[in-house]
Amino acid sequence: MKILVIPDVHSRLFWKRPLEKYIDKVDKVVFLGDYCDPYQDETTEPIEWKQTLDNFLEIIELKKNNPDKVVLLLGNHDEHYRNKQFDEYARSTRYDSIHSKQLYGMFNGENYKLFQLCYSVENGGKRIIFTHAGITKFWMERCKLTYDENIQDTINNLEETAKGIGKLCVIGRARTWFGEKTGSPLWCDLREFFSDESIDKEALQIFGHTRLKQGCVVSMKSFRCVDSRTVFMLDNKNRLRRTKNEKVKAYKEHGTVQDTADDSKG
């Protein structure tokens, strides 16, 4: 199986050309969430609402036209529009209060089932688990959840109850002074992964959420963090490669992580 992995979009357009090139050559396309709430510090010209809206509508239409191939995961910058309880207890920065009602409608109604929290698949003899921010053993135990072959349903079903949404609202101490050891699959920071055990040493988790230098991947045996404005290809041997031949500097361990201060709860 070949899987095209598209990290946090945040209104950016980096995903369009690689997707057009590879969509007919892959078995799955997995978006890791965070479709709106742009980073204005990445461009000299402000990203206007029209670009955010058109970009998000194009992604939704892509899913509708390819329902079995395209997977749209949810991030913390999506859930705070989609769910009022999450918005109240775990709203992210850069929340667009002006267009929040419109975004609520786009995430709900007839589009509600287009999105999910977790996608899990067997590939090359290994369990691959895709979420927005990753799943830690600490968070699973704190929330009294069981890790097994049904992990996709276990995580996705959390959206269906107030108690489940409460578990998704958990924020780790890397993002707030009053946080837990690690956050939920919508909030876990990369730095929290280095202080916790893997939920499955034989599985591979792929997630975004923690912003990296462009084109970079933070790679450990049990996970890959890929939030770097770059589309990646996971092949049938579970090798993850950039779709463009970019020259990327080699950074020391942890050195790929940019300042995440503006992503903290606020």
Side-chain angles (χ1 to χ4, degrees):
M1 178 181 285
K2 291 184 178 180
I3 303 173
L4 203 65
V5 183
I6 302 176
D8 308 34
V9 173
H10 286 301
S11 307
R12 299 173 292 206
L13 310 178
F14 68 89
W15 60 274
K16 290 190 175 185
R17 190 170 297 176
L19 184 130
E20 182 179 353
K21 181 177 180 180
Y22 291 104
I23 190 168
D24 293 327
K25 301 176 182 179
V26 299
D27 301 286
K28 288 284 184 180
V29 176
V30 180
F31 284 80
L32 298 181
D34 279 7
Y35 303 99
C36 306
D37 298 350
Y39 291 108
Q40 298 293 0
D41 63 341
E42 292 179 347
T43 177
T44 56
E45 296 294 328
I47 295 177
E48 302 293 341
W49 165 246
K50 187 178 186 306
Q51 177 173 316
T52 294
L53 177 61
D54 291 347
N55 204 28
F56 190 27
L57 286 172
E58 190 171 340
I59 291 170
I60 290 173
E61 195 64 25
L62 176 72
K63 170 65 175 176
K64 289 180 176 179
N65 292 335
N66 302 273
D68 297 324
K69 176 172 281 192
V70 175
V71 176
L72 301 184
L73 297 184
L74 291 160
N76 55 306
H77 285 268
D78 309 315
E79 197 67 36
H80 67 186
Y81 297 116
R82 181 174 165 94
N83 185 279
K84 296 185 184 301
Q85 179 185 341
F86 188 90
D87 177 34
E88 181 178 357
Y89 292 103
R91 177 186 288 188
S92 308
T93 56
R94 306 194 310 282
Y95 180 84
D96 187 347
S97 58
I98 295 174
H99 301 103
S100 59
K101 288 185 179 179
Q102 187 172 354
L103 287 166
Y104 176 85
M106 294 170 71
F107 278 110
N108 289 285
E110 65 178 17
N111 293 336
Y112 184 83
K113 292 186 178 180
L114 299 181
F115 302 92
Q116 60 193 81
L117 293 163
C118 177
Y119 173 63
S120 178
V121 65
E122 290 287 337
N123 190 48
K126 184 182 285 286
R127 169 68 56 183
I128 314 298
I129 304 169
F130 297 89
T131 56
H132 174 65
I135 307 169
T136 63
K137 185 177 180 180
F138 170 85
W139 177 80
M140 291 284 290
E141 291 178 347
R142 179 197 183 282
C143 295
K144 297 180 172 57
L145 298 173
T146 301
Y147 173 77
D148 55 26
E149 67 276 5
N150 299 314
I151 185 64
Q152 175 174 307
D153 292 338
T154 297
I155 301 300
N156 287 332
N157 289 340
L158 293 176
E159 264 206 314
E160 304 307 315
T161 66
K163 188 174 181 180
I165 291 293
K167 295 174 181 179
L168 294 174
C169 290
V170 175
I171 304 176
R173 61 188 60 162
R175 300 284 176 126
T176 177
W177 288 106
F178 303 103
E180 300 280 2
K181 180 181 178 182
T182 70
S184 77
L186 294 179
W187 267 114
C188 187
D189 189 275
L190 173 61
R191 290 165 290 188
E192 295 163 3
F193 263 85
F194 291 106
S195 64
D196 195 58
E197 297 179 58
S198 171
I199 56 170
D200 182 349
K201 294 181 180 179
E202 302 303 317
L204 174 64
Q205 291 198 61
I206 297 178
F207 53 83
H209 182 62
T210 302
R211 190 163 51 141
L212 309 175
K213 299 289 186 181
Q214 188 166 8
C216 285
V217 175
V218 173
S219 178
M220 300 292 282
K221 183 177 180 181
S222 61
F223 70 81
R224 308 283 187 272
C225 180
V226 297
D227 181 13
S228 58
R229 290 172 282 166
T230 302
V231 177
F232 295 89
M233 179 79 75
L234 186 73
D235 67 16
N236 55 12
K237 294 183 179 180
N238 292 315
R239 295 173 297 193
L240 191 70
R241 297 177 176 176
R242 293 183 294 274
T243 56
K244 294 191 296 183
N245 185 24
E246 299 180 60
K247 291 182 178 180
V248 180
K249 293 180 180 180
Y251 295 89
K252 294 179 181 179
E253 186 178 1
H254 304 301
T256 54
V257 183
Q258 289 183 334
D259 181 10
T260 58
D262 84 312
D263 290 326
S264 61
K265 184 177 182 292

